[in-house]
Amino acid sequence: MKIGLISGEFPPMPGGVGHFSRILAERMQAQGHTVRVLSRSGCNCDNLDITGVTGWGLKHAPQIRAWADKHALDVVNVQFQTAAYDMSPWIHFLPSLLDQPIVTTFHDLRHPYLFPKAGRLRDWAVMHLARSADGVIATNPEDENKLAHLPLRSLIPIGSNIMREAASAELTARWREELSLSDSSTLIGHFGFVQAIKGIDLLVEALAELRGNGHDVRLLFIGGGRNAVNADRGESYREGLEDRIREYGLEDVVGWTGYLPEAEVAACLQGVDIVTLPYLDGASYRRGSLMAAINYGCAIVTTRPRVAHETFIHGENMWLIDRESAGAIGDAITHLIENPQEVDHLRDGARKLRLRFDWDVIARDTLAFFEEVLRGAGRHIVREPLGA
């Protein structure tokens, strides 16, 4: 197949959707297909053909259409996330602007901001994109439920954006040494961008309570502090968070790594005792930070999913707690500190769970769905030889 992939963000831009798009494109290409990428100007990848656009407004539609026609694409896959297209309403009408079959991958179905008091129009715009596409992919069970009325759909999860092999024991030990940890210290890790929806202020509150109860607990924020999308809002939240850390007197027990290469991220994730991800909206397939923690076999404390499913199992592959509760975070960490054998059990469970989110499986399932869409559209599927 000749596949076009459109993403509002792409490396070297930070952001989970961009990294997902790069890895998926590379894996589909490795399985013998031609993949063309359309994203923002300045994005690049050595082994992918990338065309850049300067924006996503209506005036850019002819450029997008010319790109799809020039490469005679069999199918166009739109990687959709609310904020990645500069909040442009026109991206929701893309299937009407192109002649090729469109598959939209929804990384979330949350409302885009269109203009003040847009109200129901925001819901309508997202669902118009879903209804007008030839097929839709949900990356999580929550969104799959919302798309259940559509005839051609599939649930295909994201994988971990951090894929480097396990870090060396020396590198992991170095990180713990740099943090001046004793044998009795418990290091809690949080991975990913600092945003209010991550429940990080509750994690800081729980840290203060744990230390007040006599536990030698430290907290390490792993990775970049803010996303390029909504950067100002993220920076404001982080400043408020740092104020709270100072109010609690926790400056000496909270560390920030900043942006790290993958080897260092792997070392940090494997060096912490417990990864704590108290999402306000619950654990979800859409969370790349959770996928990374699973990928490295971490002992994970996170909040219960909003939509129950059989993948995340409390006490087996993660420790699930109530949402929006600092007390629940503290109780879970206290329990695991006092029962270290359960920490080892959670790590074993996470290592088994990561097979569910293997990238080659994700690419194969995506390609199979493209073929299903093309058959539904009455298009002939051309199978190219590997390396064509």
Side-chain angles (χ1 to χ4, degrees), residues 80-324:
F80 181 80
Q81 190 269 344
T82 300
Y85 294 93
D86 300 331
M87 303 299 181
S88 170
W90 297 110
I91 197 68
H92 303 90
F93 299 90
L94 192 60
S96 302
L97 301 174
L98 300 181
D99 295 328
Q100 294 76 13
I102 303 289
V103 173
T104 303
T105 298
F106 286 97
H107 291 264
D108 69 59
L109 282 169
R110 288 170 287 187
H111 300 159
Y113 176 83
L114 298 180
F115 52 83
K117 300 181 180 180
R120 294 180 183 176
L121 183 59
R122 286 178 278 190
D123 269 330
W124 181 88
V126 174
M127 292 313 300
H128 175 78
L129 176 60
R131 288 190 297 268
S132 59
D134 295 272
V136 295
I137 295 172
T139 59
N140 57 85
E142 301 95 313
D143 288 346
E144 184 192 30
N145 282 0
K146 296 177 183 177
L147 299 171
H149 62 288
L150 298 177
L152 206 51
R153 66 187 185 279
S154 183
L155 171 61
I156 304 175
I158 68 173
S160 172
N161 295 333
I162 310 297
M163 300 188 301
R164 189 180 178 91
E165 294 297 322
S168 69
E170 292 80 7
L171 187 55
T172 297
R174 193 199 79 196
W175 263 106
R176 292 186 68 90
E177 182 178 345
E178 288 182 1
L179 294 166
S180 301
L181 298 174
S182 68
D183 292 339
S184 62
S185 300
T186 299
L187 182 58
I188 306 302
H190 181 277
F191 176 55
F193 295 122
V194 174
Q195 298 170 327
I197 195 66
K198 305 289 186 70
I200 303 170
D201 52 334
L202 298 172
L203 176 56
V204 170
E205 182 181 339
L207 176 66
E209 293 179 1
L210 286 163
R211 292 191 62 82
N213 292 331
H215 294 290
D216 181 12
V217 180
R218 319 284 181 92
L219 174 60
L220 180 65
F221 288 103
I222 305 166
R226 60 190 178 95
N227 197 343
V229 177
N230 291 331
D232 293 342
R233 188 183 304 172
E235 188 64 32
S236 175
Y237 178 75
R238 172 164 172 165
E239 289 173 359
L241 192 65
E242 291 175 334
D243 289 341
R244 176 168 287 196
I245 289 169
R246 284 190 290 271
E247 290 172 7
Y248 285 128
L250 298 173
E251 301 99 313
D252 293 338
V253 296
V254 175
W256 304 80
T257 70
Y259 174 80
L260 293 174
E262 287 193 3
E264 299 280 349
V265 172
C268 288
L269 286 173
Q270 292 174 292
V272 302
D273 297 297
I274 302 167
V275 172
T276 305
L277 303 167
Y279 309 114
L280 298 186
D281 54 352
S284 171
Y285 287 12
R286 68 162 64 102
R287 294 295 184 188
S289 49
L290 179 58
M291 296 301 105
I294 292 170
N295 187 53
Y296 285 108
C298 299
I300 301 166
V301 172
T302 190
T303 44
R304 291 188 178 89
R306 287 194 178 275
V307 175
H309 50 79
E310 298 178 353
T311 309
F312 301 157
I313 305 174
H314 174 67
E316 288 296 321
N317 49 40
M318 57 188 66
W319 198 267
L320 298 173
I321 60 174
D322 290 339
R323 297 184 290 273
E324 301 188 47

Side-chain angles (χ1 to χ4, degrees), residues 319-363:
W319 198 267
L320 298 173
I321 60 174
D322 290 339
R323 297 184 290 273
E324 301 188 47
S325 172
I329 298 170
D331 289 346
I333 293 173
T334 299
H335 176 82
L336 294 175
I337 290 173
E338 295 174 351
N339 298 274
Q341 74 281 358
E342 295 208 42
V343 173
D344 293 335
H345 184 68
L346 291 177
R347 287 175 177 149
D348 288 339
R351 284 190 285 267
K352 295 173 184 175
L353 180 59
R354 67 187 174 196
L355 298 175
R356 172 72 178 83
F357 304 99
D358 179 81
W359 275 106
D360 286 327
V361 174
I362 291 169

Side-chain angles (χ1 to χ4, degrees), residues 22-89:
R22 175 184 62 82
I23 298 167
L24 178 64
E26 290 176 336
R27 295 302 174 98
M28 291 192 298
Q29 191 162 268
Q31 293 184 27
H33 301 270
T34 299
V35 182
R36 314 281 185 178
V37 176
L38 182 78
S39 190
R40 295 174 186 266
S41 298
C43 295
N44 60 79
C45 182
D46 289 343
N47 57 346
L48 291 171
D49 180 285
I50 301 177
T51 298
V53 292
T54 57
W56 303 103
L58 182 60
K59 68 179 181 180
H60 300 96
Q63 186 179 358
I64 297 172
R65 183 182 178 93
W67 165 80
D69 292 342
K70 171 186 175 183
H71 295 298
L73 299 174
D74 296 311
V75 62
V76 174
N77 181 204
V78 179
Q79 300 291 328
F80 181 80
Q81 190 269 344
T82 300
Y85 294 93
D86 300 331
M87 303 299 181
S88 170

